[in-house]
mmCIF file of all heavy atoms in Angstrom:
data_model
loop_
_atom_site.group_PDB
_atom_site.id
_atom_site.type_symbol
_atom_site.label_atom_id
_atom_site.label_comp_id
_atom_site.label_asym_id
_atom_site.label_seq_id
_atom_site.Cartn_x
_atom_site.Cartn_y
_atom_site.Cartn_z
ATOM 1 N N ALA A 20 -3.741 -14.528 -3.280
ATOM 2 C CA ALA A 20 -2.992 -13.305 -3.015
ATOM 3 C C ALA A 20 -2.641 -13.243 -1.504
ATOM 4 O O ALA A 20 -2.977 -14.177 -0.793
ATOM 5 C CB ALA A 20 -3.865 -12.087 -3.425
ATOM 6 N N THR A 21 -2.038 -12.217 -1.089
ATOM 7 C CA THR A 21 -1.487 -12.212 0.284
ATOM 8 C C THR A 21 -2.470 -12.065 1.397
ATOM 9 O O THR A 21 -2.155 -12.280 2.586
ATOM 10 C CB THR A 21 -0.481 -10.989 0.426
ATOM 11 O OG1 THR A 21 -1.204 -9.794 0.061
ATOM 12 C CG2 THR A 21 0.761 -11.166 -0.408
ATOM 13 N N HIS A 22 -3.764 -11.807 1.039
ATOM 14 C CA HIS A 22 -4.773 -11.614 2.073
ATOM 15 C C HIS A 22 -4.359 -10.469 3.040
ATOM 16 O O HIS A 22 -4.704 -10.435 4.229
ATOM 17 C CB HIS A 22 -5.091 -12.817 2.872
ATOM 18 C CG HIS A 22 -5.998 -13.790 2.148
ATOM 19 N ND1 HIS A 22 -5.548 -14.590 1.096
ATOM 20 C CD2 HIS A 22 -7.282 -14.092 2.287
ATOM 21 C CE1 HIS A 22 -6.539 -15.315 0.629
ATOM 22 N NE2 HIS A 22 -7.666 -15.021 1.326
ATOM 23 N N ASN A 23 -3.610 -9.506 2.524
ATOM 24 C CA ASN A 23 -3.283 -8.287 3.200
ATOM 25 C C ASN A 23 -2.684 -7.358 2.116
ATOM 26 O O ASN A 23 -1.611 -7.609 1.620
ATOM 27 C CB ASN A 23 -2.242 -8.526 4.292
ATOM 28 C CG ASN A 23 -1.943 -7.249 5.059
ATOM 29 O OD1 ASN A 23 -1.559 -6.239 4.482
ATOM 30 N ND2 ASN A 23 -2.004 -7.293 6.371
ATOM 31 N N ILE A 24 -3.475 -6.354 1.749
ATOM 32 C CA ILE A 24 -3.016 -5.527 0.600
ATOM 33 C C ILE A 24 -1.705 -4.799 0.866
ATOM 34 O O ILE A 24 -0.987 -4.529 -0.077
ATOM 35 C CB ILE A 24 -4.131 -4.522 0.181
ATOM 36 C CG1 ILE A 24 -4.419 -3.522 1.290
ATOM 37 C CG2 ILE A 24 -5.397 -5.293 -0.245
ATOM 38 C CD1 ILE A 24 -5.370 -2.431 0.865
ATOM 39 N N TYR A 25 -1.386 -4.557 2.112
ATOM 40 C CA TYR A 25 -0.166 -3.800 2.419
ATOM 41 C C TYR A 25 1.018 -4.726 2.259
ATOM 42 O O TYR A 25 2.059 -4.280 1.719
ATOM 43 C CB TYR A 25 -0.288 -3.222 3.799
ATOM 44 C CG TYR A 25 -1.592 -2.451 4.020
ATOM 45 C CD1 TYR A 25 -2.600 -3.002 4.786
ATOM 46 C CD2 TYR A 25 -1.796 -1.294 3.376
ATOM 47 C CE1 TYR A 25 -3.845 -2.323 4.896
ATOM 48 C CE2 TYR A 25 -2.956 -0.553 3.484
ATOM 49 C CZ TYR A 25 -3.992 -1.125 4.250
ATOM 50 O OH TYR A 25 -5.213 -0.454 4.360
ATOM 51 N N TYR A 26 0.998 -5.951 2.732
ATOM 52 C CA TYR A 26 2.040 -6.918 2.439
ATOM 53 C C TYR A 26 2.132 -7.145 0.931
ATOM 54 O O TYR A 26 3.210 -7.311 0.400
ATOM 55 C CB TYR A 26 1.837 -8.195 3.185
ATOM 56 C CG TYR A 26 2.194 -8.213 4.619
ATOM 57 C CD1 TYR A 26 1.322 -8.384 5.650
ATOM 58 C CD2 TYR A 26 3.541 -7.922 4.992
ATOM 59 C CE1 TYR A 26 1.639 -8.386 6.953
ATOM 60 C CE2 TYR A 26 3.927 -7.950 6.343
ATOM 61 C CZ TYR A 26 2.937 -8.152 7.317
ATOM 62 O OH TYR A 26 3.300 -8.098 8.660
ATOM 63 N N GLY A 27 0.949 -7.246 0.262
ATOM 64 C CA GLY A 27 0.948 -7.443 -1.124
ATOM 65 C C GLY A 27 1.591 -6.336 -1.945
ATOM 66 O O GLY A 27 2.462 -6.537 -2.759
ATOM 67 N N LEU A 28 1.306 -5.104 -1.547
ATOM 68 C CA LEU A 28 1.921 -3.953 -2.218
ATOM 69 C C LEU A 28 3.431 -3.956 -1.899
ATOM 70 O O LEU A 28 4.218 -3.558 -2.789
ATOM 71 C CB LEU A 28 1.308 -2.636 -1.708
ATOM 72 C CG LEU A 28 -0.160 -2.380 -2.225
ATOM 73 C CD1 LEU A 28 -0.808 -1.243 -1.417
ATOM 74 C CD2 LEU A 28 -0.109 -2.035 -3.707
ATOM 75 N N LEU A 29 3.781 -4.315 -0.726
ATOM 76 C CA LEU A 29 5.194 -4.277 -0.311
ATOM 77 C C LEU A 29 6.048 -5.186 -1.223
ATOM 78 O O LEU A 29 7.083 -4.736 -1.749
ATOM 79 C CB LEU A 29 5.333 -4.707 1.146
ATOM 80 C CG LEU A 29 6.730 -4.512 1.760
ATOM 81 C CD1 LEU A 29 7.052 -3.077 1.968
ATOM 82 C CD2 LEU A 29 6.699 -5.231 3.104
ATOM 83 N N CYS A 30 5.602 -6.395 -1.383
ATOM 84 C CA CYS A 30 6.435 -7.344 -2.192
ATOM 85 C C CYS A 30 6.264 -7.225 -3.622
ATOM 86 O O CYS A 30 7.096 -7.581 -4.456
ATOM 87 C CB CYS A 30 6.150 -8.785 -1.717
ATOM 88 S SG CYS A 30 4.533 -9.503 -2.145
ATOM 89 N N GLU A 31 5.040 -6.775 -4.010
ATOM 90 C CA GLU A 31 4.737 -6.704 -5.498
ATOM 91 C C GLU A 31 5.136 -5.389 -6.177
ATOM 92 O O GLU A 31 5.458 -5.406 -7.353
ATOM 93 C CB GLU A 31 3.249 -6.971 -5.666
ATOM 94 C CG GLU A 31 2.813 -8.360 -5.346
ATOM 95 C CD GLU A 31 1.316 -8.564 -5.513
ATOM 96 O OE1 GLU A 31 0.573 -7.611 -5.679
ATOM 97 O OE2 GLU A 31 0.851 -9.748 -5.490
ATOM 98 N N THR A 32 5.074 -4.280 -5.406
ATOM 99 C CA THR A 32 5.428 -2.987 -6.020
ATOM 100 C C THR A 32 6.590 -2.312 -5.400
ATOM 101 O O THR A 32 6.996 -1.238 -5.778
ATOM 102 C CB THR A 32 4.191 -2.053 -5.976
ATOM 103 O OG1 THR A 32 3.934 -1.740 -4.588
ATOM 104 C CG2 THR A 32 2.984 -2.685 -6.567
ATOM 105 N N GLY A 33 7.214 -2.902 -4.344
ATOM 106 C CA GLY A 33 8.395 -2.335 -3.726
ATOM 107 C C GLY A 33 8.108 -1.051 -2.997
ATOM 108 O O GLY A 33 7.003 -0.627 -2.725
ATOM 109 N N ILE A 34 9.223 -0.401 -2.596
ATOM 110 C CA ILE A 34 9.124 0.859 -1.814
ATOM 111 C C ILE A 34 8.357 1.888 -2.548
ATOM 112 O O ILE A 34 7.527 2.677 -1.997
ATOM 113 C CB ILE A 34 10.510 1.345 -1.448
ATOM 114 C CG1 ILE A 34 11.185 0.331 -0.499
ATOM 115 C CG2 ILE A 34 10.456 2.721 -0.789
ATOM 116 C CD1 ILE A 34 12.635 0.615 -0.192
ATOM 117 N N ILE A 35 8.631 2.037 -3.863
ATOM 118 C CA ILE A 35 8.021 3.101 -4.648
ATOM 119 C C ILE A 35 6.483 2.878 -4.770
ATOM 120 O O ILE A 35 5.727 3.847 -4.483
ATOM 121 C CB ILE A 35 8.634 3.162 -6.083
ATOM 122 C CG1 ILE A 35 10.126 3.450 -5.984
ATOM 123 C CG2 ILE A 35 7.914 4.231 -6.915
ATOM 124 C CD1 ILE A 35 10.791 3.330 -7.323
ATOM 125 N N GLY A 36 6.055 1.711 -5.081
ATOM 126 C CA GLY A 36 4.658 1.431 -5.253
ATOM 127 C C GLY A 36 3.845 1.595 -3.974
ATOM 128 O O GLY A 36 2.802 2.264 -3.940
ATOM 129 N N ILE A 37 4.316 0.927 -2.931
ATOM 130 C CA ILE A 37 3.614 1.031 -1.621
ATOM 131 C C ILE A 37 3.611 2.401 -1.093
ATOM 132 O O ILE A 37 2.660 2.874 -0.489
ATOM 133 C CB ILE A 37 4.174 0.018 -0.588
ATOM 134 C CG1 ILE A 37 3.110 -0.116 0.510
ATOM 135 C CG2 ILE A 37 5.504 0.376 -0.181
ATOM 136 C CD1 ILE A 37 3.455 -1.171 1.551
ATOM 137 N N GLY A 38 4.702 3.157 -1.339
ATOM 138 C CA GLY A 38 4.796 4.529 -0.876
ATOM 139 C C GLY A 38 3.724 5.399 -1.546
ATOM 140 O O GLY A 38 3.094 6.239 -0.909
ATOM 141 N N LEU A 39 3.549 5.243 -2.838
ATOM 142 C CA LEU A 39 2.553 6.035 -3.592
ATOM 143 C C LEU A 39 1.127 5.650 -3.155
ATOM 144 O O LEU A 39 0.295 6.542 -2.926
ATOM 145 C CB LEU A 39 2.752 5.810 -5.111
ATOM 146 C CG LEU A 39 3.933 6.452 -5.693
ATOM 147 C CD1 LEU A 39 4.108 5.946 -7.134
ATOM 148 C CD2 LEU A 39 3.773 7.975 -5.690
ATOM 149 N N MET A 40 0.838 4.338 -3.054
ATOM 150 C CA MET A 40 -0.497 3.955 -2.650
ATOM 151 C C MET A 40 -0.865 4.346 -1.249
ATOM 152 O O MET A 40 -1.985 4.809 -0.985
ATOM 153 C CB MET A 40 -0.686 2.397 -2.847
ATOM 154 C CG MET A 40 -2.075 1.921 -2.558
ATOM 155 S SD MET A 40 -3.443 2.761 -3.535
ATOM 156 C CE MET A 40 -3.129 2.171 -5.165
ATOM 157 N N VAL A 41 -0.019 4.123 -0.320
ATOM 158 C CA VAL A 41 -0.233 4.509 1.058
ATOM 159 C C VAL A 41 -0.359 6.049 1.188
ATOM 160 O O VAL A 41 -1.218 6.495 1.923
ATOM 161 C CB VAL A 41 0.848 3.972 2.018
ATOM 162 C CG1 VAL A 41 0.689 4.541 3.424
ATOM 163 C CG2 VAL A 41 0.787 2.453 2.086
ATOM 164 N N SER A 42 0.417 6.772 0.446
ATOM 165 C CA SER A 42 0.317 8.230 0.444
ATOM 166 C C SER A 42 -1.076 8.633 -0.086
ATOM 167 O O SER A 42 -1.692 9.600 0.430
ATOM 168 C CB SER A 42 1.387 8.876 -0.410
ATOM 169 O OG SER A 42 2.650 8.598 0.108
ATOM 170 N N PHE A 43 -1.554 7.893 -1.171
ATOM 171 C CA PHE A 43 -2.832 8.208 -1.685
ATOM 172 C C PHE A 43 -3.943 7.895 -0.669
ATOM 173 O O PHE A 43 -4.842 8.764 -0.442
ATOM 174 C CB PHE A 43 -3.067 7.278 -2.901
ATOM 175 C CG PHE A 43 -4.450 7.352 -3.472
ATOM 176 C CD1 PHE A 43 -4.923 8.330 -4.301
ATOM 177 C CD2 PHE A 43 -5.366 6.309 -3.137
ATOM 178 C CE1 PHE A 43 -6.216 8.394 -4.757
ATOM 179 C CE2 PHE A 43 -6.679 6.307 -3.642
ATOM 180 C CZ PHE A 43 -7.090 7.350 -4.443
ATOM 181 N N MET A 44 -3.878 6.810 -0.024
ATOM 182 C CA MET A 44 -4.902 6.414 0.946
ATOM 183 C C MET A 44 -4.902 7.343 2.173
ATOM 184 O O MET A 44 -5.959 7.760 2.669
ATOM 185 C CB MET A 44 -4.750 4.990 1.404
ATOM 186 C CG MET A 44 -4.909 3.999 0.205
ATOM 187 S SD MET A 44 -4.483 2.300 0.616
ATOM 188 C CE MET A 44 -5.975 1.794 1.491
ATOM 189 N N LEU A 45 -3.739 7.649 2.657
ATOM 190 C CA LEU A 45 -3.630 8.549 3.777
ATOM 191 C C LEU A 45 -4.092 9.989 3.505
ATOM 192 O O LEU A 45 -4.782 10.602 4.256
ATOM 193 C CB LEU A 45 -2.220 8.586 4.364
ATOM 194 C CG LEU A 45 -1.740 7.332 5.106
ATOM 195 C CD1 LEU A 45 -0.261 7.463 5.499
ATOM 196 C CD2 LEU A 45 -2.611 7.070 6.347
ATOM 197 N N SER A 46 -3.722 10.493 2.316
ATOM 198 C CA SER A 46 -4.113 11.792 1.932
ATOM 199 C C SER A 46 -5.666 11.893 1.791
ATOM 200 O O SER A 46 -6.232 12.857 2.173
ATOM 201 C CB SER A 46 -3.444 12.162 0.523
ATOM 202 O OG SER A 46 -2.050 12.203 0.664
ATOM 203 N N ALA A 47 -6.273 10.867 1.226
ATOM 204 C CA ALA A 47 -7.708 10.848 1.086
ATOM 205 C C ALA A 47 -8.422 10.784 2.421
ATOM 206 O O ALA A 47 -9.324 11.621 2.674
ATOM 207 C CB ALA A 47 -8.140 9.612 0.201
ATOM 208 N N ILE A 48 -8.001 9.946 3.318
ATOM 209 C CA ILE A 48 -8.723 9.809 4.607
ATOM 210 C C ILE A 48 -8.470 11.027 5.466
ATOM 211 O O ILE A 48 -9.444 11.535 6.168
ATOM 212 C CB ILE A 48 -8.316 8.506 5.281
ATOM 213 C CG1 ILE A 48 -9.289 8.177 6.458
ATOM 214 C CG2 ILE A 48 -6.891 8.580 5.853
ATOM 215 C CD1 ILE A 48 -10.685 7.814 6.018
ATOM 216 N N ILE A 49 -7.285 11.638 5.461
ATOM 217 C CA ILE A 49 -7.011 12.788 6.276
ATOM 218 C C ILE A 49 -7.818 13.948 5.757
ATOM 219 O O ILE A 49 -8.435 14.704 6.510
ATOM 220 C CB ILE A 49 -5.508 13.123 6.288
ATOM 221 C CG1 ILE A 49 -4.721 12.105 7.045
ATOM 222 C CG2 ILE A 49 -5.227 14.523 6.828
ATOM 223 C CD1 ILE A 49 -3.212 12.177 6.950
#
């Protein structure tokens, strides 16, 4: 795999997928 989940999400799930996952992670940590 990409050894970087953010690059992985970018190429594997596109703008929609990485947008949702990063929103999830940021919302949780904030």
